[in-house]
Each structure stands twice: as structure tokens, then as C-alpha cells.
Amino acid sequence: MNTPVRRKLEMAARVRTFSRNHPSDEPTYATVLGRFEQRLAEAEAIAGSEHEARLAARGAGVRRKELRRLVHFHLLPYLVAVGNVAARDRSELAAQFKLPTANANNQAFLSAVKVLVAAAEEQREVLVAAGMAPALLTELQGMVAAFETASEEARAKRLSHIGARADLQEIAGDLMEEVRVLDGLNRWRFEKDPEVLAEWQSARHLPT
């Protein structure tokens, strides 16, 4: 959540607290306050979902980073080494078994690993004879699938986070309009009670 929206929601929560501490039986006030509280409740629910989406995206990104590290620095060097041994008798294999570029983006890295795994699957018998453990390809395939899942989750949660942020900005604008109406009503209600009016002014204050 960006800072201006967060400040608006924090102010709106203070306004809600003030309003509950200073109730009114006036029908118009109750109507405006009802609208305000409904929109604030919606905003708080969305803010909670946005926070969860942000954490989930971050967690998926961490998992993807760890999977990439394991694949690039632990599994692929073994596969490439075996490929180089097999290339002694099959020179055409040398070009197929090379480590992906370390600074490639995640999509390029994933594509390169898939090409390597496909080549290894095609040359399974040759590579096993050269020293590849049969379980290596199974583990690589599992990690590729997990990498894709983490990437998709990170992407989906980022989109969810962006959508929630847009919704919050819209609701924050609505809340500010309702606060202006409540401000007019409260100035009228408490015009002869400067202490409560000062409390209201403090509640609705929005730091710049």
C-alpha cells in the first residue's frame, strides 16, 4: 500500500473511532456514517488481501530464487560435466551441454534449463554410461516444475496486489469525500463544544 493511501485509511480509522465515541441519533448523520463505515470496512478487507498477496509474491520469489540457485550451482554442473565426458566420443554433444548464462532473466534461464533437460532425456543412455545418476533428470524435472509454479504464483500475486492497490486508491477517494461531509456535520454538531470539536479536528487531520 502506498503511503498517501495508508495515511488516508489511518485517518479514516480515527474518524470511525471518534464517531463511535460521539454517536448521534440524527438520521442524516447516521446515513453518512453508515456509508463511511461500509467503505472503510471494504478498504480494510482489501488492504488485508493486498498485504497477503504481497507476502505471497515475495515468498514465491524467494522459493524461485532458491530453486534457481540449486539448479544452476548444484544439479546443472553435474549434468554438464557428464555431457562433456560423453562428448569425448560424441563431439556433437559438447554444444548441447553448457551452463546457462548466470545473469539471464528467469524466463531465459528456465528456457535454457528445459533445453538441457530435453537433450539429456534424449541422450539418457549415453549420459548414464558417462556417469549420470538416473535420478538426476527426475530431480531436475521436478525442480523445473516447481520453478514454473513459483514463477506463476509470483506473477499472479503481483497482479492481485496491483489490482488491490487500484481499488484502495478509489475507496480512499470515496472516504475523503465522506469525511468532508462528516466534517460539516460535526462542525455544526459541536460548534458550542470547542473541546470535542478540537478532538474531531485532530481525528480528521491528514498529515502531508
Side-chain angles (χ1 to χ4, degrees):
M1 187 191 311
N2 63 45
T3 300
V5 170
R6 186 183 71 248
R7 287 175 177 169
K8 289 175 182 177
L9 295 186
E10 288 171 353
M11 183 268 277
R14 293 195 304 272
V15 166
R16 178 176 58 193
T17 298
F18 173 90
S19 300
R20 290 176 177 176
N21 289 338
H22 300 279
S24 172
D25 295 330
E26 208 283 318
T28 300
Y29 188 87
T31 298
V32 176
L33 183 59
R35 286 199 312 257
F36 171 81
E37 290 194 331
Q38 180 179 351
R39 291 301 269 165
L40 181 54
E42 291 172 7
E44 288 173 336
I46 293 171
S49 298
E50 185 216 23
H51 179 67
E52 291 175 1
R54 186 167 62 250
L55 291 180
R58 188 179 302 157
V62 169
R63 288 197 301 277
R64 180 175 60 186
K65 184 177 181 180
E66 178 61 13
L67 286 165
R68 177 166 176 164
R69 186 187 68 80
L70 290 172
V71 170
H72 189 85
F73 293 106
H74 292 270
L75 300 186
L76 290 186
Y78 176 27
L79 179 59
V80 169
V82 172
N84 289 334
V85 170
R88 294 175 188 170
D89 299 321
R90 300 271 302 276
S91 59
E92 73 276 9
L93 296 181
Q96 295 183 44
F97 293 94
K98 295 184 180 296
L99 281 173
T101 304
N103 61 357
N105 62 40
N106 286 315
Q107 189 56 51
F109 174 78
L110 179 61
S111 297
V113 173
K114 284 184 171 182
V115 169
L116 266 172
V117 171
E121 192 66 59
E122 187 176 342
Q123 301 296 334
R124 176 186 285 269
E125 292 184 7
V126 174
L127 295 177
V128 168
M132 182 185 78
L136 175 63
L137 287 184
T138 300
E139 186 167 353
L140 268 172
Q141 289 164 346
M143 287 194 173
V144 165
F147 188 95
E148 287 184 301
T149 298
S151 295
E152 182 57 35
E153 181 179 357
R155 193 158 40 243
K157 294 302 182 181
R158 277 197 302 271
L159 289 174
S160 175
H161 166 64
I162 292 170
R165 186 170 56 190
D167 290 341
L168 281 173
Q169 288 175 334
E170 179 182 351
I171 294 177
D174 293 344
L175 287 170
M176 294 306 97
E177 292 177 356
E178 298 292 357
V179 168
R180 283 190 283 272
V181 176
L182 288 170
D183 183 49
L185 286 167
N186 283 327
R187 285 176 183 275
W188 175 46
R189 289 174 66 201
F190 304 116
E191 62 179 342
K192 296 180 181 179
D193 192 338
E195 185 175 335
V196 176
L197 188 57
E199 184 184 343
W200 162 250
Q201 295 284 25
S202 176
R204 69 176 295 273
H205 176 66
L206 185 63
T208 56

